[in-house]
C-alpha cells in the first residue's frame, strides 16, 4: 500500500547488585493506514537476565494479542527465547 505503520512502546527494567535483571515491555503497532482490519496489534515481553562476569544469560517470553495472530498467523505466536551474550 506504500503506507507505513507507527509503533508505540514502553519498557522497564530493574537490576540488582547480584547481576540479576528483570525487564519487560508492551507496545502497540498502529497499522491503520496499512491494513483494513485489524488495524493494529499489541505485543509484549517479560524476561530475566543474569550476569556471570563477562557472560550474560537471559530468558524472555514474547507474545501478541489475537489481532497480531490474525494478521501474521503462527509467526506472531507466543514464544520463549534463551540467549547468551559475551562482552569483551
Amino acid at each position: 500500500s506504500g503506507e507505513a505503520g507507527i509503533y508505540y512502546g514502553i519498557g522497564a527494567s530493574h537490576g540488582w547488585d547480584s547481576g540479576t535483571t528483570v525487564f519487560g515491555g508492551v507496545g502497540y503497532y498502529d497499522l491503520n493506514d496499512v491494513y483494513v482490519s485489524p488495524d493494529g496489534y499489541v505485543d509484549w515481553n517479560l524476561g530475566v537476565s543474569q550476569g556471570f562476569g563477562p557472560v550474560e544469560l537471559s530468558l524472555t517470553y514474547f507474545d501478541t494479542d489475537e489481532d497480531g495472530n490474525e494478521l501474521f498467523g503462527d509467526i506472531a505466536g507466543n514464544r520463549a527465547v534463551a540467549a547468551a551474550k559475551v562482552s569483551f
Side-chain angles (χ1 to χ4, degrees), residues 2 10 13 18 26 45 47 49 68 70 73 75-76 84 87:
I10 188 167
S13 65
S18 65
V26 64
N45 67 78
S49 66
E70 184 178 332
I75 197 169
S87 300

Side-chain angles (χ1 to χ4, degrees), residues 17-47:
D17 291 338
S18 65
T20 302
T21 301
V22 294
F23 52 90
V26 64
Y28 179 74
Y29 213 144
D30 182 355
L31 301 169
N32 193 36
D33 293 332
V34 181
Y35 294 103
V36 174
S37 180
D39 60 1
Y41 66 94
V42 175
D43 67 89
W44 61 276
N45 67 78
L46 183 62

Side-chain angles (χ1 to χ4, degrees), residues 48-66:
V48 62
S49 66
Q50 177 66 52
F52 301 95
V55 177
E56 181 180 313
L57 303 177
S58 65
L59 182 63
T60 309
Y61 180 82
F62 296 90
D63 203 359
T64 62
D65 66 3
E66 288 300 317

